[in-house]
Coordinates of all heavy atoms in Angstrom, one line a residue:
N696 N 2.9 69.8 -49.7 CA 3.5 68.6 -49.0 C 2.7 67.4 -49.5 O 1.6 67.4 -49.9 CB 3.4 68.8 -47.5 CG 4.4 69.8 -47.0 OD1 5.4 70.1 -47.7 ND2 4.2 70.3 -45.8
C697 N 3.4 66.3 -49.2 CA 2.9 65.0 -49.6 C 3.1 64.0 -48.4 O 4.2 63.8 -48.0 CB 3.6 64.5 -50.9 SG 3.1 62.9 -51.5
Y698 N 2.1 63.4 -48.0 CA 2.1 62.4 -46.9 C 1.7 61.0 -47.4 O 0.9 60.9 -48.3 CB 1.2 62.8 -45.8 CG 1.5 64.2 -45.3 CD1 0.9 65.3 -45.9 CD2 2.3 64.4 -44.1 CE1 1.2 66.6 -45.5 CE2 2.5 65.7 -43.7 CZ 2.0 66.8 -44.3 OH 2.3 68.0 -43.9
T699 N 2.3 60.0 -46.7 CA 1.9 58.6 -47.1 C 1.8 57.7 -45.9 O 2.4 57.9 -44.9 CB 2.9 58.0 -48.1 OG1 2.4 56.8 -48.6 CG2 4.3 57.8 -47.5
I700 N 0.9 56.7 -46.1 CA 0.6 55.8 -45.0 C 0.2 54.5 -45.6 O -0.4 54.5 -46.7 CB -0.4 56.3 -44.0 CG1 -0.5 55.4 -42.7 CG2 -1.8 56.4 -44.7 CD1 -1.4 56.1 -41.6
V701 N 0.4 53.3 -45.0 CA 0.0 52.1 -45.5 C -1.2 51.6 -44.7 O -1.1 51.6 -43.4 CB 1.1 51.0 -45.5 CG1 0.6 49.7 -46.0 CG2 2.3 51.5 -46.4
E702 N -2.2 51.1 -45.3 CA -3.4 50.5 -44.6 C -3.0 49.0 -44.3 O -3.1 48.2 -45.2 CB -4.7 50.6 -45.4 CG -5.8 50.1 -44.6 CD -7.1 50.5 -45.2 OE1 -7.1 51.0 -46.3 OE2 -8.2 50.1 -44.6
L703 N -2.6 48.7 -43.1 CA -2.1 47.3 -42.8 C -3.3 46.3 -42.9 O -3.0 45.1 -43.1 CB -1.5 47.3 -41.4 CG -0.2 48.1 -41.2 CD1 0.3 48.1 -39.7 CD2 0.8 47.7 -42.2
D704 N -4.5 46.7 -42.6 CA -5.6 45.8 -42.7 C -5.9 45.2 -44.1 O -6.4 44.1 -44.2 CB -6.9 46.5 -42.3 CG -6.9 46.8 -40.8 OD1 -6.1 46.2 -40.1 OD2 -7.8 47.6 -40.4
T705 N -5.4 45.9 -45.1 CA -5.7 45.4 -46.5 C -4.4 45.0 -47.2 O -4.5 44.3 -48.2 CB -6.4 46.5 -47.3 OG1 -5.6 47.7 -47.3 CG2 -7.8 46.8 -46.7
C706 N -3.2 45.4 -46.7 CA -1.9 45.0 -47.2 C -1.9 43.4 -47.2 O -2.1 42.8 -46.2 CB -0.8 45.5 -46.5 SG 0.8 44.9 -47.0
I707 N -1.4 42.8 -48.4 CA -1.3 41.4 -48.4 C 0.1 41.0 -48.5 O 0.5 39.9 -48.9 CB -2.1 40.8 -49.6 CG1 -1.6 41.4 -50.9 CG2 -3.6 40.9 -49.5 CD1 -2.1 40.8 -52.2
A708 N 1.0 41.9 -48.1 CA 2.5 41.6 -48.0 C 3.0 41.1 -49.4 O 3.8 40.2 -49.4 CB 2.7 40.5 -46.9
C709 N 2.5 41.8 -50.4 CA 2.9 41.3 -51.8 C 4.4 41.7 -52.0 O 5.0 41.1 -52.9 CB 2.0 41.9 -52.8 SG 2.4 43.5 -53.3
G710 N 4.8 42.8 -51.4 CA 6.2 43.2 -51.5 C 6.6 44.1 -52.7 O 7.7 44.4 -52.9
A711 N 5.6 44.6 -53.4 CA 5.9 45.5 -54.5 C 6.4 46.8 -54.1 O 7.3 47.4 -54.8 CB 4.6 45.6 -55.4
C712 N 5.8 47.4 -53.1 CA 6.1 48.8 -52.7 C 7.5 49.0 -52.3 O 8.1 50.0 -52.7 CB 5.1 49.3 -51.7 SG 5.0 48.3 -50.2
G713 N 8.1 48.1 -51.6 CA 9.5 48.2 -51.1 C 10.4 48.1 -52.3 O 11.6 48.6 -52.2
L714 N 10.0 47.4 -53.4 CA 10.9 47.4 -54.5 C 10.9 48.7 -55.3 O 12.0 49.2 -55.7 CB 10.4 46.2 -55.4 CG 10.7 44.8 -55.1 CD1 10.1 43.8 -56.1 CD2 12.2 44.5 -54.9
V715 N 9.7 49.2 -55.4 CA 9.6 50.5 -56.2 C 10.1 51.7 -55.4 O 10.7 52.6 -55.9 CB 8.1 50.7 -56.6 CG1 7.8 52.0 -57.3 CG2 7.6 49.5 -57.5
A716 N 9.8 51.7 -54.1 CA 10.1 52.8 -53.2 C 10.8 52.3 -51.9 O 10.3 52.5 -50.8 CB 8.9 53.6 -52.9
P717 N 12.0 51.8 -52.0 CA 12.7 51.3 -50.9 C 13.0 52.3 -49.8 O 13.2 51.9 -48.6 CB 14.0 50.7 -51.4 CG 14.2 51.4 -52.7 CD 12.8 51.7 -53.2
D718 N 13.1 53.6 -50.2 CA 13.3 54.6 -49.1 C 12.1 55.1 -48.5 O 12.2 55.9 -47.5 CB 14.1 55.8 -49.8 CG 15.5 55.4 -50.3 OD1 16.1 54.5 -49.7 OD2 15.9 55.9 -51.4
V719 N 10.9 54.7 -49.0 CA 9.7 55.1 -48.5 C 9.0 54.1 -47.6 O 8.4 54.3 -46.6 CB 8.7 55.6 -49.6 CG1 7.4 56.2 -49.0 CG2 9.4 56.6 -50.5
Y720 N 9.0 52.8 -48.1 CA 8.3 51.7 -47.4 C 9.2 50.6 -47.0 O 10.2 50.2 -47.8 CB 7.2 51.1 -48.3 CG 6.3 52.2 -48.8 CD1 6.4 52.7 -50.2 CD2 5.3 52.8 -48.0 CE1 5.6 53.7 -50.6 CE2 4.5 53.8 -48.5 CZ 4.6 54.3 -49.8 OH 3.9 55.3 -50.2
D721 N 9.0 50.0 -45.9 CA 9.7 48.8 -45.4 C 8.6 47.8 -44.9 O 7.4 48.2 -44.9 CB 10.7 49.1 -44.4 CG 11.8 48.1 -44.2 OD1 11.7 47.0 -44.9 OD2 12.7 48.3 -43.4
Y722 N 9.0 46.7 -44.5 CA 8.1 45.6 -44.1 C 8.3 45.3 -42.6 O 9.4 45.2 -42.2 CB 8.2 44.4 -44.9 CG 8.2 44.7 -46.4 CD1 9.4 44.6 -47.1 CD2 7.0 45.1 -47.0 CE1 9.4 44.8 -48.5 CE2 7.0 45.4 -48.4 CZ 8.2 45.3 -49.1 OH 8.2 45.5 -50.5
N723 N 7.2 45.0 -41.9 CA 7.3 44.5 -40.5 C 7.6 43.0 -40.5 O 7.8 42.4 -41.6 CB 6.1 44.9 -39.7 CG 4.9 44.1 -40.1 OD1 4.9 43.1 -40.8 ND2 3.7 44.6 -39.8
E724 N 7.7 42.4 -39.4 CA 8.1 41.0 -39.3 C 7.1 40.0 -40.0 O 7.4 38.9 -40.3 CB 8.3 40.5 -37.8 CG 7.2 40.8 -36.9 CD 7.0 42.2 -36.5 OE1 7.9 43.0 -36.7 OE2 6.0 42.5 -35.9
E725 N 5.9 40.5 -40.2 CA 4.9 39.8 -40.9 C 4.9 40.0 -42.4 O 4.1 39.5 -43.1 CB 3.5 40.1 -40.4 CG 3.3 39.6 -38.9 CD 1.9 40.1 -38.4 OE1 1.6 41.3 -38.6 OE2 1.2 39.3 -37.8
G726 N 5.8 40.9 -42.8 CA 5.9 41.2 -44.3 C 4.9 42.3 -44.7 O 4.8 42.6 -45.9
L727 N 4.2 42.9 -43.8 CA 3.3 44.0 -44.1 C 4.1 45.3 -44.2 O 5.0 45.5 -43.5 CB 2.2 44.1 -43.0 CG 1.3 42.8 -42.8 CD1 0.4 43.1 -41.6 CD2 0.6 42.5 -44.1
A728 N 3.6 46.1 -45.1 CA 4.4 47.3 -45.4 C 4.0 48.4 -44.5 O 2.9 48.4 -43.9 CB 4.1 47.7 -46.8
Y729 N 4.9 49.3 -44.2 CA 4.7 50.5 -43.5 C 5.5 51.7 -44.0 O 6.6 51.4 -44.6 CB 4.9 50.3 -41.9 CG 6.3 50.1 -41.6 CD1 7.2 51.1 -41.2 CD2 6.8 48.8 -41.6 CE1 8.5 50.9 -40.9 CE2 8.2 48.5 -41.3 CZ 9.0 49.6 -40.9 OH 10.3 49.3 -40.6
A730 N 5.1 52.9 -43.7 CA 5.9 54.0 -44.2 C 7.0 54.2 -43.2 O 6.8 54.4 -42.0 CB 5.0 55.3 -44.2
L731 N 8.2 54.2 -43.7 CA 9.5 54.3 -43.0 C 9.6 55.6 -42.2 O 10.1 55.7 -41.1 CB 10.7 54.2 -43.9 CG 11.3 52.8 -44.2 CD1 12.3 52.9 -45.3 CD2 12.0 52.3 -42.9
L732 N 9.3 56.7 -42.9 CA 9.7 58.0 -42.5 C 9.1 58.4 -41.1 O 9.8 59.1 -40.3 CB 9.2 59.0 -43.5 CG 9.7 60.4 -43.5 CD1 11.2 60.4 -43.9 CD2 8.9 61.3 -44.5
D733 N 7.9 57.9 -40.9 CA 7.2 58.4 -39.6 C 6.5 57.2 -38.9 O 5.5 57.4 -38.3 CB 6.2 59.5 -40.0 CG 5.2 59.0 -41.1 OD1 5.1 57.8 -41.3 OD2 4.5 59.9 -41.6
H734 N 7.1 56.0 -39.0 CA 6.5 54.8 -38.4 C 5.0 54.6 -38.7 O 4.2 54.3 -37.9 CB 6.7 54.9 -36.8 CG 8.1 55.1 -36.4 ND1 9.0 54.1 -36.5 CD2 8.8 56.2 -36.0 CE1 10.2 54.6 -36.1 NE2 10.1 55.9 -35.8
N735 N 4.7 55.0 -40.0 CA 3.4 54.8 -40.5 C 2.3 55.6 -39.8 O 1.2 55.1 -39.8 CB 3.0 53.3 -40.5 CG 2.1 52.9 -41.7 OD1 2.3 53.3 -42.8 ND2 1.0 52.3 -41.4
T736 N 2.7 56.8 -39.4 CA 1.6 57.7 -38.9 C 1.1 58.5 -40.0 O 0.0 59.1 -39.9 CB 2.1 58.5 -37.7 OG1 3.2 59.3 -38.2 CG2 2.6 57.7 -36.6
G737 N 1.9 58.7 -41.0 CA 1.4 59.5 -42.2 C 1.5 61.0 -41.8 O 0.7 61.8 -42.4
N738 N 2.3 61.4 -40.9 CA 2.3 62.7 -40.4 C 3.5 63.6 -40.8 O 3.5 64.8 -40.6 CB 2.2 62.8 -38.9 CG 0.8 62.5 -38.4 OD1 -0.1 62.6 -39.1 ND2 0.7 62.2 -37.1
K739 N 4.5 62.9 -41.4 CA 5.7 63.6 -41.8 C 5.8 63.8 -43.3 O 5.7 62.8 -44.0 CB 6.9 62.8 -41.3 CG 8.2 63.6 -41.2 CD 9.3 62.8 -40.4 CE 10.6 63.5 -40.5 NZ 11.7 62.7 -40.0
P740 N 5.9 65.0 -43.8 CA 6.0 65.2 -45.2 C 7.1 64.5 -45.9 O 8.2 64.5 -45.3 CB 6.2 66.8 -45.4 CG 6.0 67.4 -44.1 CD 6.1 66.3 -43.0
L741 N 6.9 63.9 -47.0 CA 7.9 63.1 -47.8 C 8.9 64.2 -48.4 O 8.5 65.2 -48.9 CB 7.3 62.4 -48.9 CG 6.7 61.0 -48.7 CD1 6.0 60.5 -49.9 CD2 7.8 60.0 -48.3
P742 N 10.2 63.9 -48.3 CA 11.1 64.7 -49.1 C 10.7 64.7 -50.5 O 10.3 63.6 -51.1 CB 12.5 63.9 -48.9 CG 12.3 63.1 -47.6 CD 10.8 62.7 -47.6
D743 N 10.9 65.8 -51.2 CA 10.4 65.9 -52.6 C 11.0 64.8 -53.5 O 10.2 64.3 -54.3 CB 10.9 67.3 -53.2 CG 10.1 68.4 -52.6 OD1 9.0 68.2 -52.0 OD2 10.5 69.6 -52.7
L744 N 12.2 64.4 -53.3 CA 12.8 63.4 -54.3 C 12.2 62.1 -54.0 O 12.6 61.2 -54.8 CB 14.3 63.5 -54.2 CG 15.1 63.3 -52.9 CD1 15.6 61.9 -52.8 CD2 16.2 64.3 -52.9
L745 N 11.4 61.8 -53.0 CA 10.8 60.5 -52.8 C 9.4 60.4 -53.2 O 8.7 59.4 -53.2 CB 11.0 60.1 -51.3 CG 12.3 59.9 -50.8 CD1 12.3 59.5 -49.3 CD2 13.1 58.8 -51.6
V746 N 8.8 61.6 -53.6 CA 7.4 61.6 -53.9 C 7.0 60.8 -55.1 O 6.1 60.0 -55.1 CB 6.9 63.1 -54.1 CG1 5.5 63.1 -54.7 CG2 7.0 63.9 -52.8
D747 N 7.8 60.8 -56.2 CA 7.6 60.0 -57.4 C 7.6 58.5 -57.1 O 6.7 57.8 -57.5 CB 8.5 60.4 -58.5 CG 8.2 61.7 -59.2 OD1 7.1 62.2 -58.9 OD2 9.0 62.1 -60.0
D748 N 8.5 58.1 -56.2 CA 8.6 56.7 -55.8 C 7.4 56.3 -55.1 O 6.8 55.2 -55.4 CB 9.8 56.5 -54.9 CG 11.1 56.4 -55.7 OD1 11.1 56.5 -57.0 OD2 12.2 56.2 -55.1
A749 N 6.9 57.2 -54.2 CA 5.7 56.8 -53.4 C 4.5 56.7 -54.4 O 3.6 55.8 -54.2 CB 5.4 57.9 -52.3
I750 N 4.4 57.6 -55.3 CA 3.2 57.5 -56.3 C 3.3 56.3 -57.1 O 2.3 55.6 -57.3 CB 3.2 58.8 -57.1 CG1 2.9 60.0 -56.3 CG2 2.2 58.7 -58.3 CD1 3.1 61.3 -57.0
D751 N 4.5 55.9 -57.5 CA 4.7 54.6 -58.3 C 4.2 53.4 -57.4 O 3.6 52.5 -57.9 CB 6.1 54.5 -58.7 CG 6.5 55.4 -59.9 OD1 5.6 56.0 -60.5 OD2 7.7 55.5 -60.2
A752 N 4.6 53.5 -56.2 CA 4.2 52.3 -55.3 C 2.7 52.3 -55.1 O 2.1 51.2 -55.1 CB 4.9 52.5 -53.9
K753 N 2.1 53.5 -54.9 CA 0.7 53.5 -54.8 C 0.0 52.9 -56.0 O -0.9 52.1 -55.9 CB 0.2 55.0 -54.5 CG -1.3 55.2 -54.5 CD -1.6 56.6 -54.3 CE -3.0 57.0 -54.6 NZ -4.1 56.0 -54.2
D754 N 0.5 53.3 -57.2 CA -0.1 52.9 -58.4 C 0.0 51.4 -58.6 O -0.7 50.7 -59.2 CB 0.5 53.6 -59.6 CG 0.1 55.1 -59.7 OD1 -0.9 55.4 -59.0 OD2 0.8 55.8 -60.4
G755 N 1.2 50.8 -58.0 CA 1.5 49.4 -58.2 C 0.9 48.5 -57.2 O 0.9 47.3 -57.3
C756 N 0.3 49.0 -56.1 CA -0.2 48.2 -55.0 C -1.5 47.5 -55.5 O -2.4 48.2 -55.8 CB -0.4 49.0 -53.8 SG -1.1 48.0 -52.4
P757 N -1.5 46.1 -55.4 CA -2.7 45.4 -55.9 C -3.9 45.6 -55.0 O -5.0 45.2 -55.5 CB -2.2 44.0 -56.0 CG -1.1 43.9 -55.0 CD -0.4 45.2 -55.0
T758 N -3.7 46.0 -53.8 CA -4.9 46.1 -52.9 C -5.2 47.5 -52.5 O -6.0 47.8 -51.6 CB -4.6 45.3 -51.6 OG1 -3.4 45.8 -51.0 CG2 -4.5 43.8 -51.9
D759 N -4.6 48.5 -53.2 CA -4.8 49.9 -52.9 C -4.6 50.2 -51.5 O -5.4 51.0 -50.9 CB -6.3 50.2 -53.4 CG -6.5 51.7 -53.5 OD1 -5.5 52.5 -53.8 OD2 -7.6 52.3 -53.3
S760 N -3.6 49.7 -50.9 CA -3.3 49.9 -49.5 C -2.4 51.1 -49.2 O -2.3 51.5 -48.0 CB -2.6 48.6 -48.9 OG -3.5 47.5 -49.0
I761 N -1.8 51.6 -50.3 CA -0.9 52.8 -50.1 C -1.7 54.0 -50.3 O -2.3 54.2 -51.3 CB 0.3 52.7 -51.0 CG1 1.2 51.5 -50.6 CG2 1.1 54.0 -51.0 CD1 2.4 51.3 -51.5
K762 N -1.7 54.9 -49.3 CA -2.5 56.1 -49.4 C -1.5 57.3 -49.4 O -0.5 57.3 -48.7 CB -3.4 56.3 -48.1 CG -4.2 55.0 -47.7 CD -5.1 54.6 -48.8 CE -5.9 53.4 -48.4 NZ -6.8 52.8 -49.5
I763 N -1.9 58.3 -50.2 CA -1.1 59.5 -50.4 C -2.0 60.6 -50.3 O -3.1 60.6 -50.9 CB -0.3 59.5 -51.7 CG1 0.7 58.4 -51.7 CG2 0.4 60.8 -52.0 CD1 1.5 58.2 -53.0
S764 N -1.6 61.7 -49.6 CA -2.5 62.9 -49.5 C -1.6 64.1 -49.3 O -0.4 64.0 -48.9 CB -3.4 62.8 -48.3 OG -4.1 64.0 -48.1
D765 N -2.1 65.3 -49.6 CA -1.4 66.5 -49.4 C -1.6 67.0 -47.9 O -1.1 68.0 -47.5 CB -1.8 67.6 -50.4 CG -3.3 67.9 -50.4 OD1 -4.1 67.3 -49.6 OD2 -3.7 68.7 -51.2
K766 N -2.4 66.2 -47.2 CA -2.6 66.5 -45.8 C -2.2 65.4 -44.9 O -2.3 64.2 -45.3 CB -4.1 66.9 -45.5 CG -4.6 68.1 -46.3 CD -6.0 68.5 -45.9 CE -7.0 67.5 -46.3 NZ -7.2 67.3 -47.8
P767 N -1.8 65.6 -43.7 CA -1.3 64.5 -42.8 C -2.5 63.6 -42.4 O -3.7 64.0 -42.3 CB -0.8 65.2 -41.6 CG -1.2 66.6 -41.6 CD -1.6 66.9 -43.0
F768 N -2.1 62.3 -42.1 CA -3.1 61.2 -41.9 C -3.5 61.0 -40.4 O -4.4 60.4 -40.1 CB -2.7 59.9 -42.5 CG -2.7 59.8 -43.9 CD1 -1.7 60.2 -44.8 CD2 -3.9 59.4 -44.6 CE1 -1.7 60.1 -46.2 CE2 -4.0 59.3 -46.0 CZ -2.9 59.6 -46.8
N769 N -2.6 61.5 -39.5 CA -2.8 61.3 -38.1 C -3.0 59.8 -37.8 O -3.9 59.5 -36.9 CB -3.9 62.1 -37.6 CG -3.6 63.6 -37.7 OD1 -2.5 64.0 -37.4 ND2 -4.5 64.4 -38.2
G770 N -2.3 58.9 -38.5 CA -2.4 57.5 -38.2 C -3.6 56.8 -38.8 O -3.7 55.6 -38.6
D771 N -4.4 57.5 -39.5 CA -5.7 56.8 -40.0 C -5.6 56.8 -41.6 O -5.8 57.8 -42.2 CB -6.9 57.6 -39.6 CG -8.2 57.0 -40.2 OD1 -8.1 56.0 -40.8 OD2 -9.2 57.7 -39.9
P772 N -5.3 55.6 -42.1 CA -5.2 55.4 -43.6 C -6.5 55.8 -44.3 O -6.4 56.0 -45.5 CB -4.8 53.9 -43.8 CG -4.4 53.4 -42.4 CD -5.1 54.3 -41.4
T773 N -7.6 55.6 -43.7 CA -8.9 55.9 -44.3 C -9.4 57.3 -44.1 O -10.5 57.6 -44.4 CB -10.0 54.8 -43.9 OG1 -10.2 55.0 -42.5 CG2 -9.5 53.4 -44.1
K774 N -8.6 58.1 -43.6 CA -9.0 59.5 -43.2 C -9.6 60.3 -44.3 O -10.6 61.0 -44.1 CB -7.8 60.2 -42.7 CG -8.0 61.6 -42.0 CD -6.8 62.1 -41.4 CE -6.9 63.5 -40.8 NZ -7.8 63.5 -39.6
Y775 N -9.1 60.0 -45.6 CA -9.6 60.9 -46.7 C -10.4 60.0 -47.7 O -10.5 60.4 -48.8 CB -8.5 61.5 -47.4 CG -7.7 62.4 -46.4 CD1 -6.4 62.0 -46.0 CD2 -8.3 63.5 -45.7 CE1 -5.7 62.8 -45.1 CE2 -7.6 64.2 -44.8 CZ -6.3 63.9 -44.5 OH -5.6 64.6 -43.5
E776 N -11.0 58.9 -47.2 CA -11.8 58.1 -48.1 C -13.3 58.2 -47.7 O -13.7 58.7 -46.6 CB -11.4 56.7 -48.0 CG -10.0 56.6 -48.7 CD -9.4 55.2 -48.6 OE1 -10.0 54.3 -48.0 OE2 -8.3 55.0 -49.1
Ligands
F3S419 FE1 1.3 45.6 -49.2 FE2 0.6 46.9 -51.4 FE3 3.0 47.0 -50.5 S1 -0.1 44.9 -50.7 S2 3.4 45.1 -49.5 S3 1.2 47.8 -49.5 S4 2.4 47.0 -52.6

């Protein structure tokens, strides 16, 4: 399984992730990104066909705010750092 979450504290609302992975990430009213699937808790496994998009978004994020793990995050983006 593959889980994803956005660290809002470091996201600079650059907008790249939603372009690369529009089915995985959306933006809040401040333009900060969050994971659509599970309200940014990082607890719901991504559907297989969205995993590559999520990885591309992670690779493209200028502030390394997109986290991906094979284990759930329980709402904590820094859980595995
Ligand atoms: Fe934020 Fe990175 Fe997306 S800075 S808007 S999480 S590409």
Side-chain angles (χ1 to χ4, degrees):
N696 283 342
C697 179
Y698 302 84
T699 186
I700 191 170
V701 178
E702 186 170 2
L703 295 178
D704 288 346
T705 57
C706 172
I707 56 169
C709 85
C712 53
L714 287 178
V715 176
D718 297 325
V719 183
Y720 307 103
D721 200 357
Y722 310 109
N723 68 18
E724 56 284 345
E725 293 174 314
L727 302 175
Y729 65 93
L731 266 174
L732 195 68
D733 54 15
H734 306 286
N735 211 50
T736 59
N738 284 343
K739 199 169 170 187
L741 276 172
D743 287 344
L744 54 103
L745 295 180
V746 170
D747 284 349
D748 281 0
I750 292 169
D751 285 348
K753 174 180 166 39
D754 290 345
C756 176
T758 58
D759 198 26
S760 298
I761 294 179
K762 312 300 180 183
I763 293 177
S764 174
D765 58 2
K766 300 185 292 294
F768 286 91
N769 295 317
D771 179 4
T773 62
K774 192 172 175 68
Y775 304 113
E776 293 178 355

